[in-house]
Every structure is written in C-alpha cells, then in structure tokens.
Amino acid sequence: MPTADNLVDEWVGHNLLSTDPALLAALRSAAPQAVEPLTRYGAELGSTRTAQLARDANRHGPELRQLDARGRRVDLVDFHPAWHELLSMYRRQGLVADAFATDTPGRWAAFAAGCYLHGQVEAGSLCPATMTQAAIPVLARQPELFAPLRDKLFSREHDPREAPIADKASIWVGMGMTEKQGGSDLRRVATTAAEQADGSYRITGHKWFFSAPTSDAHLVLARTEAGPTCFWLPRYTPDGERNAVVVMRLKDKLGNRSNCSSEVEFHGAWARRVSDEGRGIPTLIEMAGYTRLNCVIGSAALLRAGLVQALHNARERQAFGRRLAEQPLMQTVLADLALESEAAMRLMLRLARGFEQAEPGWQRLMTPAAKLWVCKRAIECTGEAMELLGGNGYVEDGVLARLYREAPVNSIWEGSGNVMALDVLRAIAREPEVALALLDSFAASADAPVRTEADSLRRLLAGDPAGLEAQARRVAQGLVLCAQAVLMREQASTAAADAFVATRFGGAGRLVGTQALPQAAQLLDAALAG
C-alpha cells in the first residue's frame, strides 16, 4: 500500500528466487536439485546486508598500491572487505566450477540461475568468476598442468591471500588478451614469447586490458614464430618469486567499479604454453563461448533487477490521484519491461541447456546472437527503469544508477555487437545445416509472426553472400526474437506469450511501451510475487 508520505524505499529484504515465479517454475523443471540451495541463496542475496555489501564494494572500489613504504615495487590492489565477502558468497554456492565438477543433469541451469540471482545484486564479482570458469575446459586439456590446479579451481572456499598457487586453497584465473594497437583484432598481438631451454617461455610486451590483476594466474595471448599462442602466466613463478608483471594503472571505468581491470607490462615474465603454437586464438574462442554465456546471464540479471525496482516503486507511489501501477501508460511500459526480462531469462536457461548437452545450434550460433541482443536490451531497459523512478533513479544514492552504468560492459566485453553479429554469420557458414535446423524449428511455431520471421531469415541467408555482412545484426536479432517467442510459447503463461509475440514482430520500432497490452495488469501481477 502507498505510504502516507508517498516515499518509496528500494525493494530490498526479499528472497530473489521465491519472488520470481517464472524463474522458480523453470528451475523446478530444469534443475529441481537446485531449488532448495538457491532458495537459501536468494534469501541471502536479497537481504539488506548483502545490498549494503554491494553498495560498499562499488562505492569504495579497488586501489592500486604500486610501492611499499620503502619504495619497493609490490603492485598490490586493496579492496573493500565487502568485495571479498561477495566473492566468498558466490564461491560457496559452487557457481564457479560445479558445472564442470559434476555430471548431474540440470547442472548448467542451476549455475545459470545462481549466477542470475547474484548478478541482480552485484555484477562486478561475476567477472573473476566468469574468467575462472571459462579457463577450466582449456586447462583440463593439459593434464600435467591441470592436475595440481583442479582442486583449487573446484574449491568452494574463497582464498584472498597474496601467495603462490601451491600455498592457496583456491585460485582465480584472469585473462590478458587486448593490446593498444589491436583491440578486438587479436591477430595483431605484439607481445612476444621466447621459449627457454626448460620448455617454459618468457613473455615481453603489454596488455591494455588485464583483468583482474589480482588473479592467481592469467591466460595470456603472445606471439611466437608460429603466431598468436595462449600461455598460462601465474602471479608467482615456480620458485616462489613474484612474476615480472608490472601494473601500470587500474582502469577508471564507467561501471563494474567493484572489480579491477588494469594495464600491465611484461618484462620477461615466466609462462607456460597452453595451446599449440600459433593456435592461441582458437583456444580463446572456446573460452569465449563460456564468457559470452555469462554476459547473457549477467545482462538478464540487470534486466530483472531494474524491472523489480521500477515495478515496486510504481506499486507503492501515487501521482495524479492514483498509484502509478494503475495508470495505463505506466502499465504498458512496465509490462513491456517484464516481457523483456522473462524472455531473456528463458533464453539464458535454454543456452545453458545447450552447453550441458553440447548442442551446436545453441552453443555456437545462438550464444553470440543472444549476447548481442540481450546485452543491448539491458542498456536500454535499465535506462527505462531508471527513468520510471525519475530523479530518485538518477542519483547515486540508489541502485538504478549503478545498474545503468553496469549495463554496457557486457555488450563490450568478449566482443562488441558487430563482432557478435559477424560471429553469427561465421557460425552459419561453418555449419549451415545447424542454422537451417534451427530455422525449421522456428518455422514450426504456432505463431504466424514467428513463422514469417523464420521464412524471412531463410530467404536472407539464401541471398547474395556479398550483401549479407551488412545485415548481420538483422540476422542475429531475428534469430533471438524467434527463439524467445518459441520459448515463451512453450513455457510462459498464455498472456505473456501472446503479448511477447504481439509486440516483438512487425517493425513497430524499439521504443519500450509503444503497444498497448490489454492484459498488462495481469502480467505485472505475475512478474513479482509479494
């Protein structure tokens, strides 16, 4: 009920899973074993205490300490204690490695749901977790390297100590790929690797983005005579000395402020080869599948977090004589945000299933398409959610400003929108039968707009290849909308599926809330349980 002073506090102190009927029902179907532990985690994440941890970790971001009191180079990063508490919470749930540590059916859906819940409260801590998770299948292909690391990667204990890997209970793995001159074009890597007599390598050069410098080791791209190659570069050398990595500065980022990214130089840093020489980029492409899945999950989490705050405020605040949530235009906008959020959640779970079952259509084709679409929708929709609170949403005292600043990183990290769209075309070119099978499944939809879009995509792909690149975003968008519509029809309420199909096809534009939804109030009642 509206308060006497018409002031609405943020939505906090609620269980993030039990108040999300769509996710809860999906989890009961896809990973029933995860419902109980994630319900507990949903309560912990939704608590006032965890909200304060997220606030503190982002308000008091990491600080680089390059020198000690006597001028010795140390390159340490100091974090607010809240950062380590958030990492401990995530790791305790097994969300870093359980998807690889077990063969339980539904393990990837359980991971995706847990990551999604955590990302609604604090997104920066997902970055080191994502990189560590993505490194596991790459390292596992090197049994001699992986054997002493396995238990430390799979551990549910967060060990924040500055120490060699052998002395730690658990480890985090970062990534160092991008250089000043190359950006997304990793073929232009200039950092070099020189093989030593004992089979190790010495790395010399720089990385423009090195995330996170506090990781216990990094997977780094460097050039040998055979071409770009992937290396394991630990923070400490095998003899226990700090590796020759110099942190130049931490990045002053728009968002993701709880987490640290840096610029570094390598001065003959010790490393061990992970990929075959010259095969570094294909190795990273395998990792990128997992990191891109995490980008989709993280952006879906931001969509949900923004919706929940906006809907809660509209239910409790009055303007012009009645509650905001009772006003038709506000209902339309909120319902549109609710549809976007639910469709992103259902897509993320379907992608997770594709990873568990190694389905090429969902793992290699739909993942880059979903990363392009969902991450960009998060940017727009967090802005809409912030606007629905007016000035109270715009100020840094509340969470919505942080969500808005956070949203662009997932669209940029691990490949921008254009890179994702071109990867979709490459996936189609490599496995055209996979793409056609997906389109066939979409064309079998009971909804005419979905069938029409699937047929349009089929004609587009059969056309002049020379003109296809310019329409790569169009292809990715169409694939995602078809997939989301089919998933909504299969899994969501009739009202939600009808509304999604009615508003996502037909070229009505991308402005949120432009099409009236007769069942808007019903959709909003279902979006957030009391």
Side-chain angles (χ1 to χ4, degrees):
M1 295 295 293
T3 60
D5 59 9
N6 204 30
L7 300 178
V8 183
D9 293 324
E10 285 186 351
W11 190 84
V12 70
H14 303 274
N15 188 309
L16 301 190
L17 180 55
S18 61
T19 54
D20 188 343
L23 176 63
L24 184 57
L27 198 58
R28 284 174 175 154
S29 174
Q33 75 279 6
V35 171
E36 183 178 343
L38 288 182
T39 298
R40 292 194 299 270
Y41 196 41
E44 182 180 13
L45 288 168
S47 69
T48 302
R49 180 179 181 276
T50 304
Q52 187 61 51
L53 290 176
R55 189 175 297 111
D56 288 342
N58 283 275
R59 285 251 177 115
H60 309 285
E63 295 182 356
L64 175 62
R65 182 157 42 98
Q66 292 179 309
L67 307 174
D68 70 7
R70 295 296 177 264
R72 290 181 288 261
R73 190 88 190 200
V74 292
D75 283 343
L76 298 175
V77 179
D78 297 320
F79 289 90
H80 190 279
W83 170 253
H84 291 295
E85 287 203 52
L86 290 161
L87 290 180
S88 294
M89 288 170 57
Y90 193 86
R91 193 140 209 169
R92 231 178 4 251
Q93 294 299 313
L95 296 172
V96 173
D98 273 13
F100 292 112
T102 74
D103 58 1
T104 305
R107 60 192 179 277
W108 278 94
F111 151 70
C115 180
Y116 175 74
L117 293 172
H118 188 101
Q120 293 174 43
V121 181
E122 209 291 305
S125 43
L126 297 181
C127 179
T130 292
M131 294 186 292
T132 303
Q133 183 195 64
I136 290 172
V138 172
L139 295 172
R141 287 197 166 87
Q142 305 286 330
E144 185 182 349
L145 174 60
F146 186 64
L149 301 175
R150 184 185 187 281
D151 290 347
K152 301 175 192 295
L153 290 165
F154 288 6
S155 173
R156 288 189 172 209
E157 175 187 348
H158 169 54
D159 186 346
R161 293 175 300 152
E162 173 73 20
I165 287 175
D167 298 334
K168 299 195 67 174
S170 66
I171 58 173
W172 298 99
V173 181
M175 296 170 66
M177 310 299 169
T178 307
E179 298 182 2
K180 298 175 186 176
Q181 76 286 348
S184 297
D185 186 357
L186 298 179
R187 295 169 300 178
R188 299 187 64 183
V189 60
T191 295
T192 60
E195 188 171 9
Q196 308 299 296
D198 63 358
S200 67
Y201 287 75
R202 293 290 174 173
I203 308 294
T204 302
H206 83 282
K207 292 298 169 184
W208 189 236
F209 273 89
F210 193 71
S211 300
T214 51
S215 298
D216 298 288
H218 287 78
L219 290 173
V220 171
L221 196 65
R223 181 174 294 281
T224 67
E225 290 185 1
T229 304
C230 188
F231 293 90
W232 170 260
L233 193 153
R235 190 160 170 78
Y236 285 82
T237 64
D239 59 7
E241 297 296 319
R242 280 286 296 275
N243 214 343
V245 180
V246 177
V247 181
M248 306 304 291
R249 62 174 175 173
L250 300 187
K251 293 293 192 181
D252 186 8
K253 299 171 293 183
L254 169 68
N256 209 247
R257 289 184 168 272
S258 62
N259 176 47
C260 66
S261 299
S262 63
E263 299 165 24
V264 300
E265 291 181 352
F266 305 124
H267 297 278
W270 185 94
R272 182 171 175 173
R273 182 165 55 82
V274 174
S275 72
D276 292 337
E277 286 201 15
R279 297 292 296 168
I281 292 176
T283 300
L284 298 179
I285 289 173
E286 178 186 0
M287 287 183 63
Y290 296 99
T291 55
R292 289 168 179 180
L293 171 64
N294 278 255
C295 286
V296 175
I297 298 169
S299 290
L302 296 177
L303 285 166
R304 174 69 184 176
L307 164 69
V308 165
Q309 294 297 339
L311 180 53
H312 165 69
N313 182 77
R315 284 176 174 176
E316 301 296 326
R317 189 167 174 87
Q318 290 195 5
F320 311 110
R322 53 180 170 166
R323 289 186 303 168
L324 289 171
E326 295 172 346
Q327 301 187 29
L329 183 54
M330 180 64 76
Q331 286 184 344
T332 300
V333 174
L334 287 167
D336 210 349
L337 293 176
L339 292 171
E340 196 70 49
S341 173
E342 182 176 348
M345 180 273 292
R346 296 195 184 281
L347 179 59
M348 119 197 146
L349 290 177
R350 182 61 184 88
L351 293 174
R353 192 175 97 197
F355 274 74
E356 181 170 321
Q357 298 179 357
E359 298 177 84
W362 292 93
Q363 200 170 4
R364 295 194 287 272
L365 175 55
M366 289 305 303
T367 296
K371 181 185 180 298
L372 185 155
W373 182 255
V374 176
C375 296
K376 289 195 177 299
R377 297 302 286 157
I379 298 171
E380 180 176 354
C381 293
T382 52
E384 287 285 353
M386 182 169 63
E387 183 180 327
L388 293 180
L389 268 72
N392 288 338
Y394 189 68
V395 295
E396 293 288 351
D397 301 284
V399 69
L400 280 164
R402 185 169 83 236
L403 297 180
Y404 186 64
R405 285 188 288 99
E406 194 70 44
V409 69
N410 288 328
S411 206
I412 297 169
W413 191 48
E414 293 307 301
S416 63
N418 282 350
V419 172
M420 291 302 96
L422 294 174
D423 275 0
V424 169
L425 294 188
R426 279 190 282 269
I428 293 171
R430 282 194 301 267
E431 299 177 292
E433 72 286 354
V434 170
L436 293 175
L438 268 176
L439 289 176
D440 286 344
S441 69
F442 299 154
S445 169
D447 293 296
V450 180
R451 297 195 302 271
T452 299
E453 178 65 12
D455 290 342
S456 176
L457 289 172
R458 185 184 290 275
R459 289 193 300 273
L460 188 61
L461 294 175
D464 181 11
L468 191 57
E469 181 176 324
Q471 299 188 73
R473 287 191 176 209
R474 161 76 180 86
V475 173
Q477 173 184 285
L479 288 170
V480 172
L481 290 177
C482 284
Q484 288 182 322
V486 168
L487 292 169
M488 292 288 281
R489 182 59 70 196
E490 290 175 349
Q491 302 169 10
S493 69
T494 300
D498 287 347
F500 186 87
V501 172
T503 55
R504 266 53 186 180
F505 298 92
R510 294 181 59 238
L511 188 62
V512 172
T514 56
Q515 296 189 50
L517 296 169
Q519 294 177 302
Q522 177 184 341
L523 296 173
L524 296 177
D525 286 343
L528 180 61

